[in-house]
Amino acid sequence: MDMQHALERLCTKNGPSGFEAPVAEAAKALLEPLMDEVWTDRIGNVIGIRRCGKPRAKKLLLDAHLDEIGLIVTGIEGGFLRFQSIGGVDPRMLPGRELTVLTDPPILGVVATMPPHVCHQKDKDRALPLSELYVDIGMDQPTAEQAVPIGTPMVFRAGSFPLGSREICGKSMDDRSCFVTLLRTVELLQGKDLDVDLYILGSAREEISGSGAQCAAFAVEPDYCVAVDVTHGRTPDGPKDMSFALGGGPVVGVGPNMTRWMTDLAIRTANEVAVPIQLEVMAGHSGTNGWYLQICREGVPTLVLSLPLKYMHSPIEVLDRQDMEQVAQLLAAIAERLGREDDRL
Ligand SMILES: [Zn+2]
């Protein structure tokens, strides 16, 4: 599978939390050839199963979320759109951005920005809050009211493109890059004899709540879960203790949101298959779907595995292709080691 091509297919689709249908459809099409069965559930998750064919097999669920952060129209003033955020949008990121307004068909917009010549002195050194920003769609008030219903979602306008020879840049790499690593994992496991039924979850609504993963885990009743999401990639100005080198390999979460023996299994397996890893201590809530997967029903052994990514929650998120491949290699090796009688459930 060409991971960059799969990533492009997903990242050119729009799907802010609660409005995932277009990206979910693309994800389903990518997943179908690899699984025994694929379906979309009522909350918008895409779920696929590959059965191992053994009686009473345990279930391993691998999760990556399909939704992206976005904006939502709250009103129209003089033809300009007012809005709030869907998920964690940084207001500093917004002025001058190109947006896709998800009307049917979609239209383009730009976040208005004040030229420096006429900007108030008091605004020059501060980030404008969302409540003071507007989206320009090039329409007057009556036309805009006709074209854009209140509650219309908007997303960054961008696809993805190579940055240098190893990195890929674009919007919604968080977390579609990790969904692509799950596709690659299934590909690596083709023809392998597993002891688990493998479930792949492309979850909805992670950026606002984690409710997609919560519903899917309730329905699937997994015996083990891995939440695969992005973590902060290192830049020269970033804090060393909270960021991880691109090209340094998968990042294994360590802390109470992860089940200790699953973390140990990931570390041991990485050594056995010579995949370099980095460790991220997460002292509380991991901020990922791992939280909701771990506390489903009576509790599920859970691992959080992360892909380093620069500029999270911007339209120019950047990751390293080799890290993606190594996340998939590690996940595949973990899947091959689970499901035996001596697992510490
Ligand atoms: Zn994410």
Side-chain angles (χ1 to χ4, degrees):
M1 184 187 58
D2 182 339
M3 287 200 288
Q4 181 156 347
H5 180 67
L7 199 48
E8 274 164 20
R9 272 182 72 180
L10 292 173
C11 291
T12 47
K13 296 287 185 289
N14 300 311
S17 313
F19 303 89
E20 292 93 348
V23 64
E25 199 178 308
K28 189 163 177 263
L30 286 164
L31 196 53
E32 257 157 0
L34 298 165
M35 310 298 283
D36 293 328
E37 208 182 312
V38 178
W39 65 96
T40 306
D41 71 9
R42 277 182 288 187
I43 201 159
N45 295 310
V46 174
I47 307 172
I49 175 171
R50 199 203 113 177
R51 296 184 186 86
C52 67
K54 296 178 182 166
R56 294 180 303 285
K58 290 175 183 167
K59 301 174 190 172
L60 167 63
L61 182 144
L62 307 180
D63 161 77
H65 68 90
L66 294 173
D67 61 315
E68 64 190 299
I69 55 165
L71 305 168
I72 187 163
V73 176
T74 57
I76 303 176
E77 282 177 36
F80 290 73
L81 311 180
R82 305 300 301 262
F83 57 90
Q84 289 177 5
S85 68
I86 297 176
V89 175
D90 182 351
R92 292 175 307 150
M93 209 61 80
L94 286 176
R97 288 292 178 200
E98 299 173 3
L99 301 177
T100 307
V101 183
L102 298 174
T103 46
D104 186 17
I107 58 175
L108 298 180
V110 289
V111 183
T113 179
M114 196 61 74
H117 324 69
V118 292
C119 187
H120 287 299
Q121 196 56 43
K122 69 173 174 51
D123 288 339
K124 282 193 170 154
D125 296 324
R126 71 173 186 130
L128 295 179
L130 294 189
S131 57
E132 293 179 35
L133 294 170
Y134 298 84
V135 175
D136 189 344
I137 51 169
M139 293 181 189
D140 60 18
Q141 182 72 11
T143 322
E145 280 176 9
Q146 196 74 39
V148 185
I150 301 301
T152 299
M154 306 184 280
V155 291
F156 293 131
R157 180 198 184 208
S160 69
F161 56 90
L163 198 64
S165 58
R166 294 174 54 130
E167 300 182 357
I168 310 176
C169 176
K171 82 160 175 78
S172 61
M173 297 287 163
D174 171 8
D175 188 29
R176 295 178 193 164
S177 57
C178 292
F179 186 77
V180 171
T181 68
L182 302 191
L183 298 173
R184 176 72 180 137
T185 302
V186 184
E187 189 180 64
L188 291 172
L189 288 171
Q190 267 172 354
K192 296 273 172 73
D193 180 35
L194 293 186
D195 291 317
V196 287
D197 286 341
L198 181 63
Y199 287 77
I200 300 296
L201 167 61
S203 49
R205 301 180 197 224
E206 189 273 348
E207 297 290 0
I208 52 158
S209 66
S211 51
Q214 212 168 355
C215 294
F218 188 88
V220 168
E221 289 191 67
D223 295 288
Y224 328 90
C225 288
V226 185
V228 188
D229 209 332
V230 296
T231 190
H232 300 288
R234 187 159 299 154
T235 49
D237 55 345
K240 291 250 182 315
D241 57 338
M242 287 171 62
S243 62
F244 301 88
L246 262 71
V251 182
V252 176
V254 185
N257 190 183
M258 284 63 64
T259 306
R260 187 70 214 185
W261 74 261
M262 289 278 285
T263 305
D264 290 344
L265 173 70
I267 295 169
R268 200 171 60 241
T269 304
N271 268 326
E272 285 167 11
V273 296
V275 166
I277 52 165
Q278 314 179 64
L279 296 180
E280 179 171 13
V281 174
M282 299 164 164
H285 193 317
S286 62
T288 70
N289 276 339
W291 183 264
Y292 301 96
L293 299 172
Q294 188 185 35
I295 60 172
C296 180
R297 294 178 183 262
E298 72 271 36
V300 182
T302 294
L303 172 70
V304 174
L305 196 62
S306 307
L307 179 76
L309 169 134
K310 296 183 281 191
Y311 323 125
M312 197 185 292
H313 287 196
S314 81
I316 50 150
E317 295 175 333
V318 174
L319 52 80
D320 182 298
R321 267 204 307 256
Q322 184 184 292
D323 289 333
M324 288 177 68
E325 175 66 24
Q326 288 177 335
V327 166
Q329 286 173 0
L330 181 53
L331 284 170
I334 289 170
E336 284 188 86
R337 285 160 174 75
L338 283 172
R340 317 256 165 79
E341 277 313 310
D342 55 356
D343 280 342
R344 292 174 48 195
L345 291 176

